[in-house]
Each structure stands twice: as structure tokens, then as C-alpha cells.
Amino acid sequence: MRKTAVAWLVAAGCAAVNVAHPASSATVKVTPLGGHEGEFCPQDRALIFEDPNGTRVLYDVGRTVAGPNDPRLGKIDVILVSHMHGDHLGNAHNKAPNSGSCEKPDTSVSAIPNSSTVNIALAKKAKIVTGSEMPPFFANKLKANGGNPADSILARFGGSVTIGGVRIATVTAMHSNGLDPAYIGGELGKAMAEAGIAGDVGLATGYVLRFSNGLVAYLSGDTGITADQERVVRGHYAAKLTVMNIGDGFTTGPLEAAYVINELVRPNAVIASHANEVATKGGKVLPGTKTEAFMKATKVPVHVPLSGRTMEFDENGKCVAGC
Ligand SMILES: [Zn+2]
């Protein structure tokens, strides 16, 4: 009788473990599309997140994706745009992957007035998911270029949408979000440019993604330190992996970003982003860089987004391959 009870408890314990980790072998693949293969360069923003079910999400196209024909893109289902500044929306880009050097990125191809984001969305028939008041801008650009305006989808603060099994929510980012009048054009765009004012498309955002293996990832966008990083990103969403902008000047610098990670979000791992510097040589972090300062100040593993090198994360945000 006693032996049977013990056996039952052991069996129940094993069952509980299996239920808690139903998809522990399934990983989310993260691939940086940066300016130079194997390095982390000043303009690098773009990351592809691939859900275990195959859904591919492109975050902040920026200037290092060589337009819709960049062979590194493959299938793209969803594009995220944290805010409208040219280094995120993609006002210009390189001629081809790896054109130019890490130090002097090639941004010779203009994407005005569409943006690289819209050009890629049209070619890939991808959905663009944004928060704030950005969706009407993308809907009208898609429509004006023969695309489907319904492919621009809203996820405003506190709400979420699920596309291809990936749940997408936006969260606050303490930043600005002016739309360059060059996207507006005409007499109005000209007058705005002359007056030095930008179009109002609401607040800048960050994102929280929940993948089908259970991994929750916080993508900071350009932001300062916010109370929401503790109360919302950790308190409600419980993000286990963070992509954190560390460039200083425009966003949190390395020490502010480390505070966000160590004290507010407290994920299990972080991918550095938006360093605005030549951070690596031969794939190794250079001494004296902001990236190095961030790594030294951060208590959890910091992964450097080397262009073209895929990292794989489990449901707890632990890198299990490629880091
Ligand atoms: Zn910005």
C-alpha cells in the first residue's frame, strides 16, 4: 500500500513536469540582419524572430536590410515598427547585404516616400503590426502602392493581436515619434519641412511577443527608463528575454539599460541592440565600447547580435544554440 502511494507520487511528479514544459525542445530562432556579416555595427536594428511553428516576424527593418530583394529575408509574415524614425522605419538602405563597411554603412538607396518597411511588406505580403496612431499611415501607403490596407494592423497599449500563433502587444517607450515630412510630400510636406516640424502619429512603442513555445520577449524600441518596464513588462507579461537598446544620446545608454535589465524587467537573458558604434571585430566585442560596458554592468547573459548568426532561445529565454 505504502509502496503504491510512493509510486503514484513519483508518477504524478513526472506528469507535472511534462505539463509545465510541453514544448521544451521547441526554440525561437533570432537572426540579426545587420550591416556586416558576423559583426555588430552602428546601424544594426533588424532582427528576425522565427516561431517554432515557422511564423517569421521582422522587427525594425532599419537601414541594413537591402530592400525587399535581400535574400536573407526569406518568408516574412509580420513586420513590427517600434517608431517612425528613419533608422527604424527605413528611410534608406544598403545596395546589397554587406555593402559598405561596418564603420561606414552603405545607405545609398533612398526608400522615400514609401519606406523600406512598406516596400518589404508589399513584396512579402506581410502584415505590419504597430501601436499608437501609426496603422493609418501604413494602411494608406500600402493602398497607394497597390497593397491591401487591411494588412496594417493595430495593437494599441493594453491590447494584443495574434498572428500565426505569435501574440503581439505594444508597451510604452519613452521616446519621440515624429514622421519626417518627406513621407508626406506635396505642399504640406514642403511647408512642414521648412518649419522644422514632423507629422504626429502618436507615441513611440516597444513590443512584447509571446511565442508558441511559451517564450515571452520584450523588444524595448528606443526608450528611456520607464516605470512600465517593471510594472507592465515584468509584472504583467513576465518577459524572459529582452532586446535592449543601449546606444545613449537617443535612448538609454549602457548603464541605464543595465539598470532596466537588472532591476526592472529582470529577464533571464538580453540581446543588446542599437549600440550606434562598431561594437565588434571578428565577432569579438571591442574594449571600451558601449556594448562592453553594458555586458559588464548586466547581471544576466548578454548576447551580441552578430549579423547572420542565428541564436535559439527556449521558453525561459535561455540561449540553447548559436550564442
Ligand atoms: Zn528613434
Side-chain angles (χ1 to χ4, degrees):
M1 185 67 189
R2 196 172 168 185
K3 196 173 177 184
T4 308
V6 170
W8 185 87
L9 282 173
V10 169
C14 290
V17 167
N18 287 337
V19 169
H21 302 280
S24 57
S25 62
T27 59
V28 173
K29 296 189 177 109
V30 183
T31 306
L33 302 187
H36 207 81
E37 178 78 16
E39 307 288 6
F40 181 29
C41 299
Q43 290 287 319
D44 292 10
R45 312 280 186 266
L47 300 172
I48 291 177
F49 291 83
E50 184 174 317
D51 189 273
N53 70 20
T55 298
R56 284 164 66 84
V57 179
L58 173 59
Y59 166 58
D60 276 358
V61 169
R63 295 167 175 150
T64 62
V65 177
N69 297 323
D70 190 321
R72 301 174 300 173
L73 284 172
K75 176 184 82 122
I76 297 294
D77 301 291
V78 179
I79 302 177
L80 309 177
V81 187
S82 62
H83 66 293
M84 294 298 203
H85 293 160
D87 56 324
H88 295 258
L89 179 58
N91 59 350
H93 59 80
N94 45 0
K95 286 191 286 291
N98 304 310
S99 62
S101 64
C102 185
E103 199 171 5
K104 288 210 178 77
D106 168 29
T107 55
S108 59
V109 182
S110 172
I112 299 286
N114 282 358
S115 78
S116 192
T117 293
V118 167
N119 289 338
I120 292 170
L122 287 163
K124 302 292 182 182
K125 300 194 184 332
K127 316 281 188 204
I128 302 173
V129 179
T130 55
S132 214
E133 293 180 352
M134 294 183 268
F137 168 81
F138 289 113
N140 288 0
K141 286 289 183 194
L142 291 173
K143 191 178 171 193
N145 290 282
N148 182 2
D151 283 343
S152 176
I153 297 170
L154 171 69
R156 192 166 285 149
F157 305 123
S160 66
V161 292
T162 300
I163 298 175
V166 180
R167 189 171 160 195
I168 302 165
T170 56
V171 291
T172 51
M174 198 66 80
H175 195 61
S176 59
N177 195 23
L179 180 71
D180 187 330
Y183 297 102
I184 298 166
E187 286 302 313
L188 176 63
K190 193 166 165 259
M192 290 172 73
E194 281 170 6
I197 57 173
D200 180 4
V201 286
L203 299 168
T205 70
Y207 286 93
V208 174
L209 308 181
R210 185 182 175 89
F211 296 95
S212 67
N213 68 339
L215 175 66
V216 178
Y218 165 52
L219 321 180
S220 74
D222 282 3
T223 187
I225 300 169
T226 75
D228 285 4
Q229 287 162 333
E230 180 175 34
R231 295 304 295 268
V232 178
V233 176
R234 174 157 66 93
H236 179 69
Y237 293 108
K240 297 287 186 268
L241 173 68
T242 293
V243 175
M244 191 71 213
N245 292 12
I246 65 167
D248 215 347
F250 303 96
T251 72
T252 46
L255 299 184
E256 293 81 5
Y259 171 77
V260 170
I261 296 302
N262 294 341
E263 305 298 333
L264 303 183
V265 180
R266 295 195 210 161
N268 291 330
V270 56
I271 299 171
S273 188
H274 198 294
N276 291 349
E277 66 181 358
V278 176
T280 62
K281 189 169 187 190
K284 299 272 178 276
V285 174
L286 291 167
T289 56
K290 289 177 269 186
T291 302
E292 184 195 52
F294 178 62
M295 294 173 89
K296 282 183 174 167
T298 301
K299 293 173 184 167
V300 298
V302 175
H303 303 297
V304 178
L306 302 176
S307 183
R309 307 289 160 83
T310 298
M311 301 171 275
E312 296 189 40
F313 294 89
D314 70 10
E315 73 274 24
N316 294 312
K318 186 182 176 209
C319 185
V320 292
C323 293

